[in-house]
Amino acid sequence: MTCREERGQLQDMNTFGYIIPGLLILTASAFGEPLRLQPITLEQWNSRIAETKTRVSAETEHPDKFLAIDRSPQLRERVHRGEIVVDASEGKGTESVPSGLIHDWTGSVFIPETDLASILKRVQSYHEYPSIYRPSIVSARLLSRHDDEFTFSFLLAQRVKFIDSALDGDFHSTFQTVGASRAYSFTEGTRLQEINNYGHADAKRYPPDSGSGLIWRLASVARYEEADGGVYIELQGIALSRPIPAGLHWIVGPLVNRISRAVITVTLRQTRAVASPTTTNGPDDILPLAFR
């Protein structure tokens, strides 16, 4: 795939919530019947999240390993110049588990002329998410805060072709500072509910852990480093969905990966836009590059 083709696809996926209707199209149209999250699938997810927390905690103790782009001075320089870099966190970005699929992607962006305190204040302003990540985040509110721990909720919704879909969820975030110039956070969904035919009289809200299986679980790790006249943000997004049948993997798999990359890209672009309004998005700022 050429860079121009990749840019075109990502530009078409120009909203934070595209993964929700996109995966709904893939799952609902291809498989149809509602599912329930299986205990063995949840066990695999919990194991993955525990491993991620352990790894992140270890990496944040080493300044030279704090960001993934620290592995390559050339890559860090490209991000500093304005590119948004997105690639698989490890492997190919997806991992099949019993009765499920784990998606794991990481993106990096540099926001000039700001500082760590300003960025943290912005990303912790959950009530402002509908204006920051419009039009996909319809509503959001802070439920509670205790020091650097937050619980919040938001509703993502969008129409794609003939499907109106939404995801309503509660989330818990914990922020940790590392010295004066670094911080990181871990966010995990504590309740996720799919809404089919959102906005219509026949809308159906599924109980947690049931429905089409477009997203069973969501989690993210965000790292922030103040340096070089601004702040680097690195976002790792992790999701659990229903599996792709073997007969459809050749066509559905690549599309799922492109959607995952696009979601990280657009999230970082929208964050940069609101945190640094003078920043312009150049034609190369969404190139998906490998972390080397």
Side-chain angles (χ1 to χ4, degrees), residues 16-263:
F16 175 79
Y18 191 96
I19 192 171
I20 292 172
L23 285 181
L24 185 58
I25 289 172
L26 296 177
T27 57
S29 62
F31 317 119
E33 297 184 3
L35 291 180
R36 285 201 60 83
L37 176 62
Q38 298 300 307
I40 190 172
T41 312
L42 182 57
E43 181 180 339
Q44 292 291 317
W45 169 259
N46 290 336
S47 177
R48 178 64 165 266
I49 295 303
E51 291 173 1
T52 299
K53 289 181 176 179
T54 299
R55 176 178 51 78
V56 170
S57 179
E59 289 174 347
T60 55
E61 296 179 0
H62 302 278
D64 60 333
K65 296 181 180 178
F66 187 76
L67 301 176
I69 57 173
D70 289 333
R71 305 170 195 169
S72 168
Q74 294 80 13
L75 192 55
R76 185 180 177 110
E77 174 60 25
R78 296 183 76 164
V79 172
H80 182 255
R81 291 202 304 263
E83 293 182 13
I84 296 177
V85 176
V86 181
D87 204 1
S89 302
E90 58 182 71
K92 297 182 179 179
T94 56
E95 177 187 351
S96 294
V97 295
S99 300
L101 191 67
I102 294 177
H103 314 255
D104 196 342
W105 295 80
T106 298
S108 300
V109 69
F110 178 72
I111 303 178
E113 301 178 3
T114 189
D115 56 38
L116 180 61
S118 298
I119 292 297
L120 292 180
K121 182 179 180 180
R122 175 64 69 180
V123 300
Q124 291 170 357
S125 298
Y126 300 105
H127 64 284
E128 296 182 358
Y129 277 22
S131 61
I132 297 174
Y133 301 109
R134 61 180 184 270
S136 295
I137 295 188
V138 176
S139 63
R141 63 191 179 101
L142 178 66
L143 301 177
S144 67
R145 176 177 183 177
H146 179 69
D147 296 330
D148 292 323
E149 292 192 24
F150 302 78
T151 58
F152 61 97
S153 67
F154 61 69
L155 175 70
L156 299 100
Q158 190 178 4
R159 178 176 175 81
V160 173
K161 295 185 179 179
F162 54 89
I163 292 179
D164 290 294
S165 61
L167 190 70
D168 182 27
D170 297 332
F171 299 83
H172 178 262
S173 286
T174 301
F175 288 78
Q176 298 283 341
T177 57
V178 185
S181 61
R182 297 182 179 90
Y184 68 96
S185 66
F186 184 83
T187 300
E188 187 170 9
T190 57
R191 177 189 61 86
L192 295 177
Q193 290 185 260
E194 176 188 335
I195 305 174
N196 191 24
N197 280 339
Y198 173 76
H200 298 270
D202 60 345
K204 178 177 177 58
R205 177 186 290 264
Y206 290 100
D209 300 339
S210 65
S212 71
L214 66 129
I215 297 180
W216 294 127
R217 289 290 188 274
L218 280 174
S220 66
V221 179
R223 308 187 198 202
Y224 311 88
E225 181 180 275
E226 182 178 339
D228 304 329
V231 174
Y232 293 91
I233 300 179
E234 204 160 78
L235 176 64
Q236 179 182 3
I238 315 170
L240 175 67
S241 73
R242 68 186 297 169
I244 302 171
L248 293 175
H249 200 281
W250 68 275
I251 188 170
V252 174
L255 179 56
V256 168
N257 288 345
R258 287 197 293 273
I259 291 171
S260 298
R261 278 204 304 265
V263 169

